[in-house]
């Protein structure tokens, strides 16, 4: 994938596209060129647990939990209930898809930026979503509202394994406060999606501060509709800069982490490579080779300068 960025730098977008015979490759040139043209340097933050495991890509039955295994880590997400206005509680299923991932990214980033469990919503989140290419209106508004409610209701368990024991952290992402304003709606432009603020759970905030993964927000804007590419980008952001030598990852290991929804490895492999190419298009410095036995990960610079991340976390 790095060859495309080199071609764009040397020849320009149009000539680089002209050299591609595959329409999908020409689309990747457009994405890679747009990323190279980005001047904004906004940073995002996610928890390292989400770099090794992930939310589902598609909707599950509302009463069904979700379990994923990564390298020495497991994630269990259980559906939960929120109070409703006329009394009682409504069951919300597990959050899923690209919208849930983007909302989580906002909550985590703002919590680190402000060093506070209390995250401002309303206009602040509206402006951030707009900056990420998610103009809040119509179906997008309904999707974001639904996924925010699912995030607020669900319970998480992260379990870490080593040779001798299993440790785990159980709790929610949101402790309280996330609810929609009675006046907010897709037709409004005031930026009032939610009332007031949301409070992250103490356990989740503690783990986020202890194990943050920096990412480049403009990169995610270009892949915000592809949940698999988002997961791969975050995984590479976590893994590549910490390597001190080239490291092979077998296809069965890749399948175990990213293959939810696929029954056969060969079906998964084709779709994964497509999503990987898109993730690499927005991470120009990533060095990853696709081989017959799996992936070869090479030591690479982080997606954002480490000094900028240090400034953010001070």
């Amino acid at each position: 994938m790095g060859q495309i960025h080199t071609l764009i730098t040397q020849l320009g977008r149009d000539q680089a596209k002209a050299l591609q015979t595959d329409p999908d490759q020409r689309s990747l040139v457009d994405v890679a060129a747009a990323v190279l043209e980005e001047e904004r340097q906004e940073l995002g933050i996610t928890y390292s647990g989400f770099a090794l495991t992930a939310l589902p890509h598609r909707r599950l039955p509302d009463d069904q939990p979700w379990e994923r295994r990564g390298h020495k880590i497991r994630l269990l997400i259980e559906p939960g209930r929120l109070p409703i206005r006329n009394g009682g509680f409504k069951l919300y299923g597990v959050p899923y898809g690209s919208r849930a991932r983007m909302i989580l990214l906002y909550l985590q980033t703002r919590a680190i930026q402000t060093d506070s469990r209390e995250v401002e919503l309303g206009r602040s989140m509206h402006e951030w979503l707009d900056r990420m290419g998610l103009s809040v209106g119509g179906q997008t508004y309904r999707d974001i509202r639904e996924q925010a409610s699912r995030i607020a209701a669900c319970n998480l368990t992260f379990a870490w394994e080593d040779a001798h024991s299993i440790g785990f952290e159980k709790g929610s992402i949101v402790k309280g406060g996330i609810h929609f304003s009675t006046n907010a709606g897709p037709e409004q432009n005031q930026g009032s999606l939610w009332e007031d603020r949301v409070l992250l759970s103490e356990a989740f905030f503690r783990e986020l501060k202890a194990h943050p993964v920096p990412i480049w927000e403009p990169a995610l804007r270009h892949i915000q509709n592809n949940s698999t590419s988002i997961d791969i980008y975050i995984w590479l952001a976590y893994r590549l800069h910490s390597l001190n030598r080239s490291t092979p990852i077998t296809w069965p290991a890749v399948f175990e982490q990213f293959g939810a929804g696929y029954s056969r490895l060969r079906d998964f492999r084709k779709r994964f490579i497509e999503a990987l190419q898109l993730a690499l298009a927005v991470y120009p410095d990533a060095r990853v080779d696709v081989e017959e036995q799996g992936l070869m990960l090479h030591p690479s610079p982080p997606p954002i300068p480490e000094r900028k991340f240090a400034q953010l976390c001070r």
Side-chain angles (χ1 to χ4, degrees):
M1 194 68 216
Q3 294 177 345
I4 286 183
H5 296 99
T6 301
L7 280 176
I8 294 168
T9 301
Q10 294 177 345
L11 305 176
R13 181 198 297 238
D14 292 340
Q15 280 192 267
K17 283 181 70 174
L19 293 174
Q20 311 302 319
T21 57
D22 186 336
D24 291 337
Q25 290 297 310
R26 288 195 287 271
S27 296
L28 287 175
V29 170
D30 281 331
V31 173
V35 167
L36 291 176
E37 293 165 2
E38 284 280 2
E39 296 181 353
R40 297 181 300 112
Q41 294 297 324
E42 292 91 347
L43 308 185
I45 301 293
T46 190
Y47 170 51
S48 63
F50 289 128
L52 298 172
T53 60
L55 305 179
H57 299 291
R58 297 177 181 84
R59 181 171 184 163
L60 305 176
D62 284 349
D63 60 350
Q64 181 177 323
W66 167 258
E67 185 174 352
R68 267 333 270 165
R69 179 183 293 271
H71 180 62
K72 295 184 178 179
I73 188 171
R74 283 180 285 161
L75 168 64
L76 173 66
I77 309 179
E78 298 172 285
R81 298 178 184 271
L82 294 179
I84 55 179
R85 192 172 299 277
N86 296 326
F89 293 83
K90 178 181 176 180
L91 176 67
Y92 284 92
V94 170
Y96 65 91
S98 60
R99 300 293 184 257
R101 287 160 169 80
M102 299 302 281
I103 295 168
L104 275 174
L105 175 64
Y106 170 79
L107 295 177
Q108 294 172 98
T109 300
R110 289 296 296 160
I112 292 295
Q113 286 174 336
T114 60
D115 192 24
S116 173
R117 292 166 54 202
E118 195 173 61
V119 178
E120 179 185 353
L121 299 177
R123 184 171 299 279
S124 177
M125 186 170 183
H126 184 282
E127 291 173 351
W128 181 85
L129 291 170
D130 188 63
R131 189 170 77 236
M132 297 300 287
L134 292 168
S135 297
V136 180
Q139 186 59 49
T140 301
Y141 171 87
R142 289 186 286 273
D143 290 345
I144 290 173
R145 178 171 180 162
E146 171 70 16
Q147 294 305 321
S149 297
R150 288 168 176 260
I151 289 169
C154 74
N155 291 293
L156 302 182
T157 302
F158 279 102
W160 299 270
E161 303 176 18
D162 60 28
H164 307 290
S165 63
I166 297 177
F168 69 93
E169 184 77 49
K170 184 174 183 178
S172 59
I173 298 174
V174 171
K175 183 176 181 180
I178 191 168
H179 57 287
F180 279 79
S181 167
T182 55
N183 296 320
E187 72 284 351
Q188 285 195 315
N189 294 316
Q190 290 91 341
S192 179
L193 279 180
W194 293 275
E195 293 176 353
D196 218 10
R197 297 167 180 266
V198 61
L199 186 67
L200 301 186
S201 74
E202 186 173 353
F204 182 73
F205 182 58
R206 182 180 65 247
E207 289 300 311
L208 173 63
K209 288 187 68 175
H211 306 286
V213 177
I215 53 180
W216 190 41
E217 275 191 7
L220 286 184
R221 183 167 65 84
H222 293 283
I223 59 174
Q224 46 94 353
N225 283 319
N226 191 314
S227 58
T228 303
S229 292
I230 292 173
D231 290 346
I232 295 171
Y233 175 85
I234 291 173
W235 175 60
L236 294 177
Y238 174 73
R239 287 295 308 273
L240 294 183
H241 77 96
S242 63
L243 298 176
N244 53 29
R245 59 181 175 82
S246 296
T247 303
I249 309 292
T250 66
W251 281 119
V254 177
F255 181 65
E256 183 176 44
Q257 180 170 341
F258 295 99
Y262 292 89
S263 58
R264 299 188 302 180
L265 174 58
R266 63 185 181 186
D267 297 330
F268 158 78
R269 177 172 166 169
K270 179 179 183 297
R271 295 300 182 188
F272 177 86
I273 291 174
E274 292 172 355
L276 172 65
Q277 289 180 324
L278 182 57
L280 292 176
V282 300
Y283 189 170
D285 291 328
R287 297 179 57 226
V288 178
D289 295 326
V290 178
E291 301 180 344
E292 185 61 33
Q293 301 302 316
L295 304 178
M296 183 63 71
L297 307 184
H298 303 284
S300 306
I304 56 96
E306 291 186 2
R307 63 181 181 276
K308 287 188 68 67
F309 177 52
Q311 291 169 357
L312 173 67
C313 293
R314 273 200 293 227

